Amino acid sequence: AVGSGVRVRRGADGSVVGCRVNACGGTGLDVEQDVSAVLRYNDILRSRGAGVCITERANPLVEGNLIARGSTSGVLVKVSGLGVIKKNQISRHKQAGVEVRSGADPVVERNTISDNEVGVLVADKGRGKIL
């Protein structure tokens, strides 16, 4: 597939629950532009972009997902992205399990992060709470 598997944007409020998103040409789940969404119990596998990308003041709950085998980072939070990322299994990514950049400020808690190039990367004025 080309592009994102699922994209939630422009102030939308919704849920993506129990889905399998596999082998996307871009991001598996893309959440952007002031979105409050729930991403729960999904399998997000083999994305060419990030498994989950959170940007532009989006503030989702990302919980209980399997995010694995991606070509970049498992979860990428950037450009003032927010969110709570908890109780996920994040593994086998060619970059970071969780990457926080560009003014992003998420809460990352109680995840199992393994077999990635880097477990958690915070750079370029990224912030957040890593618990």
Side-chain angles (χ1 to χ4, degrees):
V2 175
S4 299
V6 176
R7 179 173 284 160
V8 185
R9 62 191 303 190
R10 294 193 181 121
D13 182 9
S15 298
V16 180
V17 179
C19 294
R20 182 176 179 92
V21 180
N22 191 25
C24 292
T27 302
L29 296 175
D30 207 353
V31 185
E32 58 189 35
Q33 300 169 329
D34 302 300
V35 166
S36 292
V38 174
L39 312 176
R40 186 177 277 149
Y41 310 130
N42 300 292
D43 290 343
I44 305 157
L45 308 170
R46 300 180 356 188
S47 297
R48 288 191 134 184
V52 176
C53 184
I54 302 167
T55 63
E56 300 175 69
R57 298 164 312 282
N59 192 16
L61 170 61
V62 181
E63 180 180 25
N65 299 287
L66 171 62
I67 306 167
R69 298 188 197 122
S71 296
T72 64
S73 292
V75 178
L76 172 60
V77 190
K78 64 180 187 173
V79 191
S80 302
L82 303 167
V84 175
I85 298 133
K86 70 179 186 178
K87 297 182 183 175
N88 299 286
Q89 297 212 12
I90 304 168
S91 64
R92 296 184 179 178
H93 295 278
K94 292 185 180 174
Q95 294 179 11
V98 177
E99 183 174 350
V100 180
R101 295 187 168 274
S102 308
D105 192 13
V107 175
V108 180
E109 62 178 305
R110 296 180 297 192
N111 296 284
T112 301
I113 301 171
S114 62
D115 299 321
N116 303 287
E117 182 67 25
V118 176
V120 176
L121 172 65
V122 180
D124 302 327
K125 298 184 183 178
R127 300 183 302 276
K129 293 181 181 78
I130 314 297
L131 309 169

